[in-house]
Amino acid sequence: MRGGPDVSDSVGTPSRARGPAGGASATGSGLIRRRRRRWVRGTALGVGVVVLAAGGGVWALYAKLDGNITSDKAAAAELARYEKERPTALVKGAMNLLVIGSDSRAGDGNSRYGKDSGTERSDTTILLHLSAGRRSATAVSLPRDLMVDVPACLRRDGSRTEPMFAMFNYAFQTGGSACSIRTVEKLTGIRIDHHMVVDFNGFKEMVDAVDGVEICLKEPIRDKDAKLRLPAGKVTLDGEQALGYVRARKTLGDGSDTDRMNRQQRFLGALVHKVQSNDVLLNPVKLYPVLDAATSSLTTDPGLASLRGLYELARGVRDIPTEHVQFLTVPRESYIYNANRDQLVEPEAEKLFERLRTDSPVVIAGEVPRDSAEKGPADADDDYSAYGPDDGKSEARRPDGPVAADSPAPTFSGTTADEDTCE
């Protein structure tokens, strides 16, 4: 989130049986009506949670939802160990979440997607920035193939890795969510406040709980390995189809990971739009399955590992209009020493990180100000050892260091959750 259908690629997550090391793996009346609808949707979600928590038999439903969430205490302990070297939050009230997916086949319902090898990679990683005041949400995809400095991290067996200059998903494979968080913080200078991981089965159930998500296909899809056979035009994907759609790579687009990330972003935007619709949040019969699917698929930091914690997060973002929910990929290009790897495009990437650090508005457009080089598919089994430990000599292989942001309003390529995929 290289070769073949890439069915190991995922929007999935680590299992509940994770080991102890490293953590989880308009104006006028129109404006008034829209504000009222957002208030009603947010209130409905709150009422739904409160009703589920109210006495009698419904308490059992609340307890089930609350108990669905797995707390990533190991990651919290590992991050506390390195607290002094972590970035400082610059803007009170702003929040940064790291959403991690993995290709683990362990856990309920996930074995059908392949044999559990005992390892997992962060094929899908999104840095979600929520502005102070919750006026906007910006989701930035981080390529799994991005070459980064990975710090020394705690393995599952209790040993520690050496610092390495390697692909980004090496961090999660070797040191779980704590290692991914520290790698992102080192790369961006952004403090990660919370994290969450979602598994294959939970993703599917979430889509099914909202009765599918509508997308628009310019061409028919025939992908045997992803088990997709879809016509062109408007199509409502169920959970199984949605999982294949966001994971497939060989037969869709140009086969690049960049193209797949763009597809994932458009799908997530459509999912956000569907979840915010009155048909879901105002219907108690549909609301409970959505909450059940959402909670049972999550491994989170202790601060979010409860229904109350998630509700507080949801309450903070319920009024963000879909046109202010933005999706983009960090500015990237082919790595200078390997066309099947990525490196940041500078100074564009640092400008983006600076705006997120300072909670400044991120402006997106349909086209990038500087073209990103595309990559073709490559082998999915990556040899991280080829890059060696960080011995001080690897600096020459890296792209130039970050450049301080010098533009008050740079523009980045991206989409918003309210965009019609058929336009």
Side-chain angles (χ1 to χ4, degrees), residues 64 79 177 210 217 222 224 256 285 290 415:
K64 180 181 184 299
L79 292 172
S177 51
V210 297
L217 302 175
R222 301 289 186 270
K224 179 180 179 181
S256 70
V285 175
V290 171
T415 61

Side-chain angles (χ1 to χ4, degrees), residues 149 164-165 335 337 387-399:
D149 286 303
M164 291 186 70
F165 185 61
Y335 179 48
Y337 296 102
Y387 300 101
D390 189 353
D391 56 4
K393 298 178 181 179
S394 57
E395 194 69 40
R397 295 181 295 170
R398 307 172 192 177

